[in-house]
Structures are given as C-alpha cells and as structure tokens.
Amino acid sequence: MIKDDEQHDAIQEAVLAKCSVQDGGISGTARLVDKEQDPCTIVIFGASGDLTQRKLVPALYRLYSEGGLPDSFLVVGTSRTEMGNDGFRDKMKKAIPLYCDLDRAMWKDFASRLYYHPVDYHEVSAFMSLRDFLEHIEEQNHLMGNRIYNLAIPPSLYKTTIQNLGQSGLSDQKKRKHGWIRVVIEKPFGRDLETAIDLNNTLRKNFDEHQIFRIDHYLARETVQSVLMFRFANSIFEPLWNRNYISNISIIAAESLGVEHRAGYYEEAGVLRDMFQNHMMQLFAMTAMEPPSLFEAERVRDEKVRLFRSLRPFTSVDQGEDVILGQYDGGIIEGTEVPAYRDEPGINPESLTPTFATMKVFVDSWRWQGVPFYLTSGKRMARKLTEIIINFKEVPHSVFRTVLGEHISTNRLIMGIQPDERITLTFQTKNPGARISLRSVTMDFNYLQNYKGPVLDAYEKVLLDVIGGDHMLFWRQDGIELTWAFLTPILEFCETCSDRSDRLFFYKSGTWGPEPAGDIMKSHDHKFQGKTDS
C-alpha cells in the first residue's frame, strides 16, 4: 500500500510529466528556442585566447548538442596566431571536455563547421582578406550572410578592430543584399566616462545601435533574470517593494579567488571597474527598477536608465561615510594559505588598487526615498556568494511586548544567485510548547526544483539572444554613461587623492572584508550574510 506522501509524490511526477513550457509547466524536453533562427556565421576575434576556449566555443557546442543553434551556421575563429582549420579544431576539441561531455559523432559534425583565418588587428588589408574568406565559405555552405562579430579580445584592441571592420566594409549592413550584421562587445566598456563615450563614438561610426550588443554575462544568469519575474508576476510581493515596508537592501557578490592570471588587468581596473560599473549596477537595477509597461527590451532598459538617473550622487567619499575600500592581505582559503594582493605575481608591491568595496547607495524616488542599498563585492572573501537580501521593517507595534518584549526579528527575503540558486523567506511563528515564544522559520525554494530540462550557462543564453537579435539582457549606452558618471567621484578619489592610502583598509583573505565595512551596514541594523565560515 502506498503511503500518503508517496502517493502525493507519484501524482506530482505524473502531472509534471504532462506539463510543457508553453502552458506554464515544466518539461524534460523543453525547447531552447521557440522560434526559427536565422542561419548565421559567428566570427570570434581572439579565437586563440582564454575566453574562446573556456566559454565561447564550449557554449556554442553545448547549444548545438541541445538543438539550440540554427540548422545552418558556421563558426570562424580569427586571431594573430598562425593556425589552420585543423589546428583550430584540435584546439577546441581539447577545450570542450573541460566544460561538458564530448559526443564523438556530434563533435564530427560540429567541427566541420569550424574554420580559422589569421588576422593582424592593425592591418586593414588583413580584414579585407577576412572579408573575402567569409564570403567564400558562406557561398560554399549556402549561407545568406548573417554575421556576428564577437570581440573576445583585450579592450585595448576594441577601437582598432572596430575601425578596421568599418574600413574593410565588414560592418556595412546597408550594402549587403541579404542578412544582418551584429557586433558583440565584452566588458569593460571603457575605463571611465570619457573613454566609454570615446569607444561608443567609434562603434557608432561603424555600426548602428541596433547592431551593437554590449555583454554583461551576469544578466544572463537564470536567477538574475528570475528577479524581475519574482517581482512583477507575484501580487503578494510587489505591493511591499518600497520604502513603507523595506528597511534596507543588500546586494553582495563575493569571490574566494584572488586575481589569478588577471593581474595585469586587475591592477589597472580594481574592484570598482571590474564589478561595480557593470555587474553590481545590473543586479541593483533588477532589484530596484520600476515595472515596465511591457516585458520588451527597450522598455526594460528604459526603466533601468530611469533608475540610474535617480541615484543620489556621493558627497563624502573621502570621509568613509558612504564607501569603504579594502585590499586583501594574506590568509587561509579552504585550508590553504594564500598570499596578499601585493604579493601576487605581476602586482605592484605598494599597490593601492582596491580588491573590495562596499557602498551605501540611495535612490531619490518616491518608491525608495530613505532606503539604503548596500552594494558589496570583493576578492579572497570567505566563500563564493552572490545574493540579494531584502530586509523588511519591524512590525510597527508589538502586541506581544508584555511577554516577548518590544523587539521582534524582521522578515527577510534572500534571492540566491550563486552558488545556491534559491529563494528563501524568513518569518516568525510560535515555538511549539506551552511557553509563549517566537522562532524564525524559513521557507526555501530551490530554483531547479522539479525542473528536468536543459539549464543554460550565462554565455549560452547570451549567444542565443544575439542570434535572435534580443537586446533585453544587454547594456545600452545611456545606462553605461550614467553608471560611469555615478562612480566617477570614487574613481577620482582612488587614483588622485593624496591620502587615499589612509582610506584603504586591509582584510585577511578568507574573511568578509575589513571591519569598517561592517560599521557602515550596522548603522541600519544590517547583519552581514555568510557569517564567518570559509
């Protein structure tokens, strides 16, 4: 005889098996895309580099294996390295098993679509040669000429490559009889407001805005996208999503890793350029933006820009009231001793580059007036953790004050982004027994619970959207300029202030950052998530 809970589970599985994505359910055979995709050629600049091997080609292979790519497509790698088609295919074949399983039969067909053509980024003639090569293989494979140019190259080569794409005619969609052309730009989008504007000017001289896709792969994470769904598809939460009910909001993106092989880049960028201008601002926007009238790319991006315009400017960066900067010292991560930032290979031993920052941000709007947002990110912290924490206000009047006292723990909503993709809600209930007492309990939802379909990696989602021409998860230039302008006072302090060394606080690797960072958040009774475990 089946027990009640076992019978319930059996019924649940039967119902789920009949559900489909189209009717709001869950399916083990869910389609990755719900419309026919245009055939295209994906040209990867920087094909011999780390990003191509670790992310782009493995993501393309997995999309292909899941039926997520067009029936007709080509992938053309290009870089300064001299390499033929076979050499490129062998290189990618070695990289893919580090990312996902490699099916021999499937690989054989996928590899036949991989090509390689060397290019000197500084020579227009090399781009003209690439143009002829692309036209030749597209004609051979009966492709109409839809193209994606993915710039997986160092930012220092962006302008030169974009200019040569234009001068060689590779960017001109109007002169082509058939097809579209799109360009994908990896972050960083400049290193400050001035360079961001300069880069955009170069882009716009050679591409129209609708052709430009500025990647922020954080936005492509499933759980980041679900923040908007959670807010705007549930009537029980959105009415509370304002200054009347929320005390403060904390967004944290902590990493346990150090600078690793990125010392040269990181020494120039620091945590503000590496994380705050892009990833942290996007997480903040998803949490705080107003609801768009429709879930369409431009309307969603309009609301993000409106939010960025409402950010209250920093006025006391040098006094440590709104911003705390830190740099990791030596310590222990997962039982292993790790060096200080200044002792990492390639780092200036007297470096003042911040590897940690926490800032208190305010939005001057009707919804959020007076509600502090705490944005925190850093390297070599206690563990890898990205989450959004909504701290609700205390009850206005404790009817239990004679037996429990005035203070009752507040409700807390946590949206976990990584490594735990989940949503938890903490609330108060009576503790069982004769004695009157409260206890905090948590409702916990695992994002992948009861889902049996394919789960997309961030780069897989990004590539799908570029092929489909969907700008929803990509930056728009006005948003980039507004966020750079907002961070400019902090950047200027970090790089020009004479006493900035006195405002850089050191923290042990394997902890949650410098002590003064906790002081900022304690001012609003915020308890840092993650405790002290490593």
Side-chain angles (χ1 to χ4, degrees):
M1 184 174 180
I2 302 177
K3 296 179 181 178
D4 288 347
D5 55 349
E6 292 178 344
Q7 187 173 14
H8 176 266
D9 290 344
I11 294 172
Q12 280 277 83
E13 290 182 10
V15 171
L16 288 169
K18 293 181 180 180
C19 291
S20 67
V21 171
Q22 286 77 12
D23 63 15
I26 302 166
S27 171
T29 58
R31 285 174 53 87
L32 289 182
V33 290
D34 56 6
K35 63 180 180 179
E36 187 175 349
Q37 296 168 295
D38 295 336
C40 64
T41 300
I42 302 167
V43 184
I44 302 176
F45 291 89
S48 62
D50 188 56
L51 178 60
T52 300
Q53 295 177 64
R54 288 193 306 110
K55 296 291 184 180
L56 295 178
V57 171
L60 287 168
Y61 172 78
R62 186 162 180 268
L63 286 174
Y64 171 73
S65 67
E66 296 283 354
L69 292 182
D71 293 335
S72 297
F73 73 93
L74 299 174
V75 178
V76 178
T78 182
S79 70
R80 290 173 289 198
T81 304
E82 289 292 334
M83 183 169 28
N85 294 336
D86 290 340
F88 181 56
R89 290 164 184 168
D90 289 342
K91 196 177 185 73
M92 295 304 107
K93 185 178 182 180
K94 293 175 183 176
I96 288 173
L98 302 175
Y99 179 89
C100 62
D101 293 333
L102 185 71
D103 180 273
R104 290 186 179 182
M106 198 164 285
W107 165 254
K108 185 176 181 180
D109 185 59
F110 180 78
S112 70
R113 302 164 186 259
L114 299 182
Y115 292 83
Y116 186 85
H117 188 81
V119 165
D120 185 332
Y121 299 119
H122 298 282
E123 297 293 335
V124 178
S125 59
F127 284 76
M128 291 179 175
S129 173
L130 175 63
R131 179 193 63 198
D132 296 339
F133 177 77
L134 292 174
E135 290 175 354
H136 174 66
I137 62 171
E138 285 171 345
E139 183 178 352
Q140 276 188 330
N141 289 274
H142 309 290
L143 288 175
M144 294 177 62
N146 298 321
R147 287 184 196 157
I148 296 169
Y149 303 132
N150 195 310
L151 305 191
I153 53 179
S156 59
L157 292 173
Y158 283 170
K159 284 185 64 176
T160 300
T161 302
I162 293 163
Q163 289 167 346
N164 285 332
L165 284 170
Q167 291 179 29
S168 63
L170 282 166
S171 69
D172 197 339
Q173 186 170 293
K174 297 174 184 176
K175 291 183 179 180
R176 301 170 66 82
K177 294 181 180 178
H178 304 287
W180 42 255
I181 295 174
R182 294 166 186 155
V183 61
V184 180
I185 310 291
E186 295 277 344
K187 81 167 184 78
F189 314 109
R191 55 175 283 106
D192 51 29
L193 179 58
E194 182 180 351
T195 55
I197 292 173
D198 183 51
L199 175 60
N200 187 61
N201 289 339
T202 302
L203 274 167
R204 292 305 305 274
K205 286 178 182 176
N206 298 282
F207 295 90
D208 293 332
E209 179 62 28
H210 69 86
Q211 295 178 270
I212 303 169
F213 290 75
R214 303 172 184 87
I215 280 185
D216 188 331
H217 66 267
Y218 252 58
L219 272 179
R221 296 182 186 277
E222 287 280 0
T223 40
V224 174
Q225 297 172 62
S226 76
V227 173
L228 291 188
M229 307 295 178
F230 180 86
R231 287 186 57 194
F232 302 137
N234 294 292
S235 61
I236 62 173
F237 289 108
E238 183 56 24
L240 308 181
W241 215 263
N242 56 57
R243 60 186 172 83
N244 295 323
Y245 300 96
I246 291 177
S247 170
N248 60 77
I249 294 177
S250 180
I251 302 173
I252 178 173
E255 298 178 86
S256 58
L257 294 176
V259 292
E260 308 306 308
H261 59 281
R262 303 169 70 219
Y265 160 75
Y266 203 88
E267 182 70 348
E268 291 293 322
V271 69
L272 296 173
R273 289 188 173 91
D274 187 48
M275 289 294 293
F276 278 80
Q277 186 276 326
N278 37 73
H279 302 331
M280 298 303 289
M281 284 290 110
Q282 286 289 3
L283 290 174
F284 165 68
M286 300 291 260
T287 308
M289 63 182 275
E290 295 294 327
S293 57
L294 282 175
F295 191 63
E296 293 179 351
E298 290 312 306
R299 301 199 190 196
V300 169
R301 298 202 294 181
D302 284 345
E303 295 303 332
K304 290 181 181 180
V305 166
R306 187 172 290 118
L307 175 71
F308 295 146
R309 287 199 183 106
S310 301
L311 283 167
R312 184 183 301 175
F314 291 111
T315 57
S316 57
V317 174
D318 59 335
Q319 297 176 24
E321 295 179 2
D322 300 323
V323 180
I324 292 292
L325 302 173
Q327 186 185 99
Y328 67 79
D329 214 334
I332 296 177
I333 301 284
E334 296 179 352
T336 301
E337 189 172 348
V338 295
Y341 176 75
R342 292 180 175 184
D343 295 331
E344 299 273 18
I347 299 298
N348 181 349
E350 297 181 352
S351 173
L352 296 177
T353 299
T355 64
F356 170 96
T358 187
M359 57 182 67
K360 183 166 60 175
V361 173
F362 289 94
V363 180
D364 286 329
S365 70
W366 190 275
R367 178 188 292 261
W368 295 119
Q369 191 63 35
V371 177
F373 289 77
Y374 301 104
L375 310 185
T376 302
S377 183
K379 287 190 171 296
R380 285 281 190 233
M381 297 181 72
R383 59 188 171 95
K384 186 180 182 68
L385 177 71
T386 303
E387 60 185 22
I388 301 167
I389 307 149
I390 315 296
N391 288 299
F392 291 92
K393 289 185 174 181
E394 291 188 19
V395 294
H397 172 67
S398 175
V399 300
F400 308 107
R401 61 188 181 280
T402 57
V403 289
L404 300 176
E406 291 288 348
H407 175 73
I408 295 177
S409 297
T410 60
N411 304 130
R412 173 175 289 164
L413 177 70
I414 300 178
M415 290 180 278
I417 308 299
Q418 63 174 356
D420 298 322
E421 299 180 327
R422 61 199 322 131
I423 297 173
T424 61
L425 177 64
T426 302
F427 56 94
Q428 303 303 313
T429 186
K430 181 184 177 297
N431 207 34
R435 186 164 165 264
I436 300 296
S437 62
L438 292 178
R439 63 171 175 170
S440 294
V441 296
T442 299
M443 288 198 302
D444 193 343
F445 164 70
N446 188 311
Y447 186 70
L448 297 179
Q449 181 179 339
N450 294 330
Y451 179 77
K452 300 178 181 178
V455 178
L456 293 181
D457 172 83
Y459 268 94
E460 292 168 15
K461 173 61 175 169
V462 163
L463 290 166
L464 273 184
D465 285 351
V466 176
I467 293 171
D470 186 353
H471 280 87
M472 178 77 73
L473 301 180
F474 297 82
W475 277 92
R476 202 168 65 187
Q477 182 63 19
D478 50 358
I480 288 174
E481 293 180 13
L482 286 166
T483 52
W484 273 127
F486 174 68
L487 292 172
T488 292
I490 309 176
L491 293 171
E492 290 178 345
F493 171 77
C494 287
E495 294 165 4
T496 63
C497 184
S498 59
D499 65 343
R500 63 188 187 278
S501 60
D502 296 332
R503 305 305 306 173
L504 184 70
F505 298 93
F506 293 90
Y507 61 98
K508 284 188 177 182
S509 293
T511 67
W512 288 107
E515 288 186 14
D519 293 339
I520 281 186
M521 291 181 281
K522 286 175 186 175
S523 66
H524 282 267
D525 297 325
H526 176 87
K527 292 183 179 178
F528 201 85
Q529 293 299 300
K531 312 298 185 293
T532 57
D533 60 313
S534 58

